[in-house]
Amino acid sequence: MIEGVRPVTELPKDLLVAPKWQERLDELAAKHSVPGAQVGVIALGEDGAADIRVITTGVTSLNTRVDVDADTLFQYGSASKIWTTTLIMQLVDEGKLTLDTLVVEVLPEFTIADPSNTKEITIRQLLTHTSGIDGDLFNDTGDGDDCVEKYVDELATAISVTEPGGHLSYSNAGFAVAGRIVEVLREMTWDEALVEYLWKPLGLTHIITKAKDAPLFRTAVGHVANPDRTSPDKVVPTKQWLLPRGIGPAGIITGSVSSLLTFGAAHMRDGLALTGERILSEESARLMRTPQFDLTAVSSVDQAWGLGWILSDWGGVTSAQHGGATIGQITRFHTFPELGLAMAVVTNSRGGGALAHDIEKEIAQELDLVLPEPKSEPDAADIDLSHILGTYESTTVRIELTRGDDGGFQVQNFAKVEIDGEPPAPPTKVVPLSASRFSISNESASGEMAHLTIDGEEYLYMTRLFKKISD
């Protein structure tokens, strides 16, 4: 083991092995309408060996009814951003750029709608979601090897949500720019760079980025809410399998849960793969999980954002983690470097977030960890949120925070741009946590939102900033 890592010397012998775990996963999949899933844990031993355990449930698609096995591929979604960040940090290790290099120094033709902001965006800001670039632009620029280049070119009309270096606001577009930087400096596509600089040294075989490669593997299909609310089938297979290839660096890596855990092991070993090959310097691996933006003012679950990683406290143990959501597929991925431990859940349904929450909580209990939950202030249930009611929006989503018929508070999201194939969702009950924070929970997921004021403007924050447009 590397210096400074305190390994879990031995996983509980029945963890994900005893029949009760299979029974529980099957039960949760049925409860949350998840057709198929993989759940995995990995623990690193003193001798460099790894104990990887995986259990599976269900089918890849309700249409084909093919069983999910340990080699089935699921979409990692935004967990792909950690892979893109790793590619960037390799370039930092090689001296080809620094975190404070301006994007325009590498991509001279790069521009967004505000020319002055364009000139100020740095590599670090791309990786910490503080570039200000409008985040949820899913333009389809085709499947050619120039798709990322074309996508970045189309950002010429992208607005600035904040000034560069301002408040964090999640930006998929920013990671496409990072992917394009990899392409230019490596003189190959982002996909090829993944293969050469990560998948080969990590020894990975069950992982892809291109839709054309999906038939070569047993591959999961996403499931979205059934528009027919009266049907006993709560979810149906999506009609679009993958997000556009041009946004790939932000979220289209597709692989098995074992491949994801093997990647996590390299990060917990400070850049040293289980194969013995080094994919990152110790300095860069540790820097990726060093706080870059403090989140404690807007979240009681997430403590900070690192480079790519989100940092959370699991009862005194820090998790470097990142989830993902694509078209009907949900992923959760948590690493605990100080323990030499990681866990991941990959699913093919909108209900995957709820399934992951439940199974992660039970795994955490077995490992003496505490899954972070939104925390409330004393007497929070009596807090009046009337002062923050109103309509908030981003380029792609409108959020209405209102009073419900029962006198309580509720939030409802409306898609301004169709992205994930989900039908409109009913209002979600709001649970006040403080005068500026509240939690939301529905049949597919839960989360925490915060109200804040930036330069005199009101916003709701839930990884993204949503600007208030009316009371």
Side-chain angles (χ1 to χ4, degrees), residues 353-365:
L355 179 152
H357 171 275
D358 291 350
I359 197 78
E360 286 169 353
K361 187 172 185 179
E362 295 176 22
I363 293 173
Q365 290 172 347

Side-chain angles (χ1 to χ4, degrees), residues 153-175:
D153 287 346
E154 291 192 5
L155 293 180
T157 59
I159 65 169
S160 296
V161 178
T162 68
E163 293 183 356
H167 197 284
L168 185 149
S169 186
Y170 197 84
S171 179
N172 285 298
F175 269 80

Side-chain angles (χ1 to χ4, degrees), residues 155-214:
L155 293 180
T157 59
I159 65 169
S160 296
V161 178
T162 68
E163 293 183 356
H167 197 284
L168 185 149
S169 186
Y170 197 84
S171 179
N172 285 298
F175 269 80
V177 177
R180 179 57 186 155
I181 288 170
V182 171
E183 293 188 332
V184 168
L185 294 182
R186 290 296 186 202
E187 298 183 335
M188 61 179 64
T189 67
W190 169 78
D191 313 76
E192 291 168 340
L194 280 172
V195 173
E196 293 300 318
Y197 291 92
L198 289 178
W199 297 355
K200 285 183 178 179
L202 289 168
L204 302 181
T205 57
H206 285 70
I207 192 163
I208 61 173
T209 55
K210 301 174 184 177
K212 71 180 183 63
D213 292 331

Side-chain angles (χ1 to χ4, degrees), residues 26-360:
D26 295 343
E27 176 186 327
L28 290 174
K31 175 182 177 180
H32 297 299
S33 300
V34 177
Q38 295 171 340
V39 177
V41 296
I42 184 171
L44 305 178
E46 293 281 1
D47 59 357
D51 182 356
I52 301 179
R53 303 181 189 179
V54 175
I55 57 173
T56 69
T57 189
V59 296
T60 61
S61 167
L62 290 178
N63 280 342
T64 63
R65 298 284 176 176
V66 175
D67 289 341
V68 170
D69 65 12
D71 290 332
T72 300
L73 310 191
F74 288 78
Q75 293 174 26
Y76 298 159
S78 286
S80 303
K81 292 179 174 67
I82 306 302
W83 302 72
T84 297
T85 303
T86 305
L87 291 175
I88 288 287
M89 296 306 292
Q90 289 175 336
L91 294 168
V92 172
D93 283 342
E94 295 171 25
K96 290 181 166 52
L97 49 73
T98 73
L99 289 173
D100 297 316
T101 297
L102 295 172
V103 170
V104 291
E105 292 180 25
V106 186
L107 307 178
E109 303 303 317
F110 169 71
T111 185
I112 57 175
D114 187 325
S116 61
N117 284 348
T118 299
K119 298 175 183 178
E120 300 299 321
I121 298 171
T122 67
I123 304 297
R124 186 188 306 271
Q125 291 163 359
L126 296 178
L127 304 182
T128 58
H129 300 282
T130 57
S131 69
I133 303 173
D134 185 18
D136 291 324
L137 304 173
F138 290 88
N139 305 338
D140 191 344
T141 53
D143 290 323
D145 285 348
D146 60 352
C147 61
V148 175
E149 179 181 8
K150 288 181 176 179
Y151 176 91
V152 173
D153 287 346
E154 291 192 5
L155 293 180
T157 59
I159 65 169
S160 296
V161 178
T162 68
E163 293 183 356
H167 197 284
L168 185 149
S169 186
Y170 197 84
S171 179
N172 285 298
F175 269 80
V177 177
R180 179 57 186 155
I181 288 170
V182 171
E183 293 188 332
V184 168
L185 294 182
R186 290 296 186 202
E187 298 183 335
M188 61 179 64
T189 67
W190 169 78
D191 313 76
E192 291 168 340
L194 280 172
V195 173
E196 293 300 318
Y197 291 92
L198 289 178
W199 297 355
K200 285 183 178 179
L202 289 168
L204 302 181
T205 57
H206 285 70
I207 192 163
I208 61 173
T209 55
K210 301 174 184 177
K212 71 180 183 63
D213 292 331
L216 302 176
F217 299 88
R218 186 175 299 206
T219 308
V221 172
H223 292 74
V224 297
N226 191 337
D228 181 3
R229 298 284 180 177
T230 66
S231 172
D233 297 322
K234 300 301 182 184
V235 296
V236 294
T238 179
K239 296 180 180 179
Q240 179 182 343
W241 180 67
L242 194 65
L243 292 169
R245 186 183 170 198
I247 196 71
I252 68 168
I253 298 178
T254 300
S256 66
V257 76
S258 293
S259 294
L260 189 56
L261 292 171
T262 299
F263 173 66
H267 273 274
M268 293 190 296
R269 288 160 55 89
D270 286 345
L272 185 64
L274 292 174
T275 60
E277 293 199 44
R278 178 161 291 282
I279 64 166
L280 271 185
S281 68
E282 292 184 16
E283 179 183 9
S284 287
R286 292 173 182 173
L287 186 59
M288 282 181 61
R289 52 183 192 262
T290 299
Q292 304 286 317
F293 189 93
D294 187 353
L295 294 175
T296 55
V298 291
S299 175
S300 61
V301 174
D302 300 324
Q303 305 302 300
W305 216 289
L307 297 171
W309 293 114
I310 306 166
L311 307 174
S312 306
D313 179 7
W314 286 55
V317 176
T318 298
S319 165
Q321 57 93 5
H322 209 300
T326 59
I327 305 172
Q329 300 202 40
I330 302 291
T331 289
R332 295 288 182 266
F333 177 37
H334 306 274
T335 69
F336 305 90
E338 64 192 273
L339 300 180
L341 171 74
M343 69 174 79
V345 181
V346 291
T347 73
N348 64 351
S349 170
R350 63 193 299 272
L355 179 152
H357 171 275
D358 291 350
I359 197 78
E360 286 169 353

